[in-house]
Amino acid sequence: MLQDTTDSSTKDSLIEALLTNDRFLVFVTDPFGKVIQSGAGVERLLGYTSDEICGKIFHALLCDPLEIKRRAVTLNREQGRFLEPGFDVVTNAAKTGETEEHVWTLIRKDTSRVPIQLTSRAYNSDGSTHGYVFIGRSANNLLVLKQQLSEMQTKLTVANAKLAALSVTDELTGLKNRQAYKENLEREFRRAIRHHTTMSVILVSIDHFKSYNEDFGTAAGDKGLKMFADALLKGTRSTDYLARYDGVVFAYILPETDREGAMIKANRIQDDLQNYGWANRQLTASLGVATLGSESPAVQGITSSSTLMDRALNALDKSQSLGGALVTHFDDPISGNIESTDQV
């Protein structure tokens, strides 16, 4: 648009063509802002005839003074210099030979206001600036599109957040899922190692759930799983991390919790299950507990978070093998070692 390489006659022809096109708002001003030509679009969009607007100072007649002042403050802050709130603000970039684009609120003849995306450029001839050419179009559609885009971006952000939450959430119970548990366990394990603190894990497996499904049906079984998750949640502290680990197995991460604290928690879980108002029949659970002490992990024989989970699984197996409805810690004399299966 009116590039510097365009000769004077071509520029004049282009301006004349734009002046007769009522789809565009076109002004030509002198170097100080006085309108010397206006196009057909000015009357359509702003209500002023050419006779009414020519000879008037562009920014004084059409621009909102407060908007001019705010724009001056912005430009002064960005450019580190003082710019008077006047015509220089409207032609800031155009004065240096650049094309300036900005959405201005212009005042119509009837005093109503309309947002106009205005493009301005210095009008040069014979190597000197004779004034400025302004070409504009209504920005109403542009503002609507921007608002729609902003709303779409907001909806997309919300949708992505929901998808991210769903990716780490068990659909049936609403608890965190196995993948989320594994990621959090690794973080807590590394933190405990780094700060030489304790942590424990508890695995909770519903006893004899296959027979529960057989007796009452899968729909009742799903309801039972939800009730079981609810029973666990009722006694969960804000520092505990609870997830549905696999099928009928639920898992806790207990940061900064030693063996004694973990066993107290495990026995409270048993009490909560015992006192819960079950449908159909009472559900019981086997629990396996394992602890990372504050001493060196190598001394404890715990080389990774997987090792800690293996120990909890070993303790859980022992609780189940002894008939269920039992709490077993890996360090209990009745429990034994198993090889690491990298279950985490």
Side-chain angles (χ1 to χ4, degrees), residues 29-265:
T29 73
D30 69 9
F32 307 103
K34 184 173 70 174
V35 179
I36 57 179
Q37 284 182 288
S38 70
V42 173
E43 185 170 2
R44 186 179 70 83
L45 291 171
L46 299 181
Y48 288 102
T49 66
S50 179
D51 290 340
E52 289 173 326
I53 202 165
C54 286
K56 302 296 193 299
I57 301 301
F58 170 80
H59 69 280
L61 177 66
L62 300 176
C63 294
D64 183 336
L66 289 177
E67 191 173 46
I68 293 283
K69 289 180 181 179
R70 287 195 295 268
R71 179 67 173 162
V73 170
T74 299
L75 292 173
N76 290 335
R77 184 173 61 248
E78 292 175 351
Q79 299 174 5
R81 65 188 181 92
F82 180 73
L83 196 65
E84 288 283 356
F87 189 61
D88 287 346
V89 173
V90 183
T91 57
N92 174 67
K95 283 183 177 296
T96 63
E98 300 177 22
T99 298
E100 170 120 2
E101 291 188 5
H102 188 71
V103 175
W104 292 97
T105 302
L106 299 189
I107 303 173
R108 291 189 177 107
K109 183 179 177 179
D110 64 5
T111 70
S112 63
R113 296 165 183 246
V114 58
I116 298 292
Q117 184 172 342
L118 205 60
T119 301
S120 61
R121 190 173 180 86
Y123 180 55
N124 299 314
S125 179
D126 301 325
S128 58
T129 298
H130 290 273
Y132 298 91
V133 178
F134 295 88
I135 302 172
R137 59 187 177 88
S138 174
N140 277 324
N141 291 339
L142 178 64
L143 295 176
V144 169
L145 288 173
K146 285 183 177 179
Q147 179 63 30
Q148 290 175 341
L149 179 60
S150 176
E151 290 174 358
M152 288 175 63
Q153 289 173 331
T154 299
K155 290 179 180 177
L156 182 60
T157 299
V158 171
N160 285 337
K162 289 181 178 178
L163 284 174
L166 286 173
S167 70
V168 295
T169 302
D170 176 62
E171 184 177 359
L172 179 64
T173 64
L175 298 178
K176 296 299 183 182
N177 62 18
R178 181 189 180 106
Q179 182 59 38
Y181 181 87
K182 288 167 61 176
E183 293 172 0
N184 196 64
L185 176 65
E186 184 63 23
R187 284 194 297 270
E188 288 298 331
F189 184 82
R190 291 180 182 274
R191 190 175 71 87
I193 296 296
R194 185 167 60 253
H195 296 292
H196 307 288
T197 57
T198 61
M199 68 172 291
S200 296
V201 295
I202 301 175
L203 296 182
V204 186
S205 179
I206 305 175
D207 294 326
H208 315 300
F209 196 69
K210 181 180 179 181
S211 67
Y212 187 94
N213 270 333
E214 291 172 347
D215 291 343
F216 304 109
T218 55
D222 286 346
K223 184 177 180 180
L225 281 169
K226 292 179 183 178
M227 295 178 71
F228 192 87
D230 180 67
L232 296 179
L233 277 171
K234 286 185 181 300
T236 299
R237 305 167 301 182
S238 60
T239 54
D240 299 339
Y241 190 92
L242 173 63
R244 185 183 180 192
Y245 188 71
D246 184 27
V248 298
V249 179
F250 296 78
Y252 285 88
I253 302 170
L254 309 178
E256 299 185 21
T257 304
D258 60 14
R259 184 190 191 285
E260 181 182 1
M263 291 300 286
I264 291 173
K265 171 66 178 178

